[in-house]
Amino acid sequence: MQLQVVEARGPADFDRAFSDMSAKGAGALVVLSTPAFEIGRQRIVDLAAKNRLPTVYSYRYYVDIGGLMSYGPNLADLHRRAAAYVDKILKGAKPSDLPVQQPTKFELVINLKTANALGLTVPPTLLAQADDVIE
């Protein structure tokens, strides 16, 4: 297996990036979350499907719109924890006194419709570990 890094700074670069990946024979893709990618997430999911690239994303909302799978922090849990911080600050706590926290809940989400469209069979052991399976 050989790692290829393809740079895309925003939606204007997506078509070129996928063309470069196809030309280099990429067999799969990992999309790391950036604000530029959030703006064009549907386009990324569509290009991955068009180029038949199995893709793993950082957040489940990519999978909800047709991406293959995601593994990353549970955003609802992060929002709840952020609300607890806001509550503490509104009650007088100094933000600098509050500890920095890391995500503690991660989720694996798999879209079987997308797997089938790509001609992939997801192993039962992986499905059993998923927090959510979209059928």
Side-chain angles (χ1 to χ4, degrees), residues 26 31 53 55 57-58 81 112 117 122 133:
V31 174
L53 274 175
T55 306
Y57 302 92
S58 301
R81 292 169 64 200
L112 282 182
V122 180
V133 177

Side-chain angles (χ1 to χ4, degrees), residues 33 38 41 58-62 64 72-83 103 105-107:
S33 183
E38 299 306 305
R41 65 179 170 238
S58 301
Y59 296 111
R60 84 163 287 141
Y61 47 75
Y62 283 92
D64 291 335
N74 179 299
L75 292 178
D77 181 61
L78 291 179
H79 294 147
R80 275 190 295 279
R81 292 169 64 200
K105 288 186 179 182
F106 291 82
E107 61 182 354

Side-chain angles (χ1 to χ4, degrees), residues 81-97:
R81 292 169 64 200
Y85 266 41
V86 169
D87 181 59
K88 289 176 184 180
I89 292 167
L90 291 175
K91 290 179 178 174
K94 289 177 48 181
S96 60
D97 291 340

Side-chain angles (χ1 to χ4, degrees), residues 117-129:
L118 292 171
L120 299 173
T121 301
V122 180
T125 53
L126 186 59
L127 288 173
Q129 294 177 44

